[in-house]
């Protein structure tokens, strides 16, 4: 069974490690789908007490994950949140 929001993604992107962050771009059907996704991510991030750097313009959400307390590097904590985010798509 497909995850519910996969049908709304316009393009599939993967996480990239660059500039000491994990980065991924998500593109959705419209603003409502993008915002709903951001809401789910916010709840998951809050539970982990690990918050993303992100931006949203209409149907696009860009997320960068880094651990500030580890000298702004990518840690297992970032990878764990990335997996949780992937599960929300």
């Amino acid at each position: 069974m497909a995850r519910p929001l996969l049908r709304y993604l316009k393009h599939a992107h993967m996480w990239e490690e660059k500039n000491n962050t994990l980065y991924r771009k998500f593109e959705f059907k419209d603003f409502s789908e993008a915002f709903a996704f951001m809401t789910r991510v916010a709840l998951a991030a809050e539970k982990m007490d690990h918050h993303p750097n992100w931006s949203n313009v209409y149907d696009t959400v860009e997320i960068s994950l880094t651990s500030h307390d580890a000298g702004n590097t990518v840690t297992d904590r970032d990878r764990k949140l990335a997996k949780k985010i992937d599960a929300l798509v």
Side-chain angles (χ1 to χ4, degrees), residues 2-9 28 33 36-37 40 88-89:
R3 289 178 263 168
L5 273 188
L6 277 178
R7 68 181 180 270
Y8 295 116
L9 279 175
F28 296 91
E33 295 303 329
F37 169 71
R40 289 190 300 281
L88 298 173
V89 177

Side-chain angles (χ1 to χ4, degrees), residues 19-33:
N19 300 324
N20 293 323
T21 67
L22 278 180
Y23 168 83
R24 185 167 177 191
K25 180 178 181 179
F26 298 86
E27 295 180 76
F28 296 91
K29 179 181 125 184
D30 57 28
F31 177 75
S32 293
E33 295 303 329

Side-chain angles (χ1 to χ4, degrees), residues 48-72:
M48 288 183 65
D49 193 28
H50 191 52
H51 306 95
N53 295 318
W54 59 7
S55 67
N56 165 244
V57 177
Y58 183 58
D59 63 348
T60 302
V61 177
E62 294 183 77
I63 300 176
S64 293
L65 303 174
T66 190
S67 293
H68 303 292
D69 59 349
N72 293 320

